Amino acid sequence: MSSPTSPPAAMRSRSPRPSFTPPRSNSSAERKICICDWGQRCCEFKTFFKKHPGHPYSGKAFDYTFSKSCDFQNFWAAATRYFHIPAEQQQQFISAAAATNDNPKKKERFRIARHHFPVALLQYFNAAGGMKYQPLSREILEQTGCYKHVNPP
């Protein structure tokens, strides 16, 4: 059994259908925290970790503003693939981002909840001053121990 400050075993796996059943979330604001395809489950995990403020997953979701930069476009493509965002939803977001492109105060944004990232990577980004969307170097991956079974081309 996991302690209250360690993530449930289901959170340590790559399965998008965790077996852990956290309390239900009723807040409409919490339902808008993430672009993932987990639906209500994502909100339930956010609610669970909110009750454990010392845990790396307990903080706010990462907030990203749409950009035409190459790094952001690569990040956006990887995120939408990983979270299985349907092409029509992706297009809606891109269209909304293009419509607000001239107004910096109304730039299109999306969020990714913290529990979608490995704890070691969150700790690295906290020490480095925040989450980025630039590609991670092999050195950072080795330093954090993340994705050690992935061999890049």
Side-chain angles (χ1 to χ4, degrees), residues 80-150:
T80 55
R81 251 190 327 274
Y82 179 79
F83 292 118
H84 309 285
I85 307 300
E88 61 192 40
Q89 245 183 311
Q90 290 179 42
Q91 190 55 48
Q92 287 173 353
F93 179 84
I94 291 168
S95 297
T100 61
N101 200 28
D102 295 332
N103 188 345
K105 292 183 179 180
K106 293 191 175 190
K107 286 269 191 180
E108 192 66 20
R109 303 169 106 55
F110 69 94
R111 292 176 185 84
I112 300 177
R114 297 174 79 83
H115 56 257
H116 293 296
F117 296 93
V119 171
L121 196 57
L122 291 175
Q123 291 168 336
Y124 170 81
F125 282 122
N126 283 340
M131 184 68 163
K132 311 290 186 233
Y133 55 74
Q134 288 82 8
L136 299 172
S137 69
R138 187 69 171 169
E139 180 183 348
I140 292 171
L141 294 178
E142 289 173 1
Q143 179 183 347
T144 61
C146 293
Y147 312 110
K148 57 186 163 192
H149 302 293
V150 177

Side-chain angles (χ1 to χ4, degrees), residues 11-34:
M11 291 302 300
R12 292 185 290 250
S13 73
R14 300 251 324 144
S15 171
R17 304 291 178 236
S19 60
F20 170 70
T21 307
R24 298 190 64 68
S25 168
N26 295 322
S27 165
S28 62
E30 286 181 8
R31 285 194 288 273
K32 296 178 185 177
I33 63 159
C34 189

Side-chain angles (χ1 to χ4, degrees), residues 4-55:
T5 59
S6 67
M11 291 302 300
R12 292 185 290 250
S13 73
R14 300 251 324 144
S15 171
R17 304 291 178 236
S19 60
F20 170 70
T21 307
R24 298 190 64 68
S25 168
N26 295 322
S27 165
S28 62
E30 286 181 8
R31 285 194 288 273
K32 296 178 185 177
I33 63 159
C34 189
I35 65 165
C36 74
D37 64 336
W38 288 20
Q40 182 63 27
R41 298 294 264 173
C42 184
C43 299
E44 293 167 355
F45 280 108
K46 176 71 175 158
T47 301
F48 173 81
F49 286 113
K50 192 175 184 179
K51 294 177 182 176
H52 303 286
H55 196 282

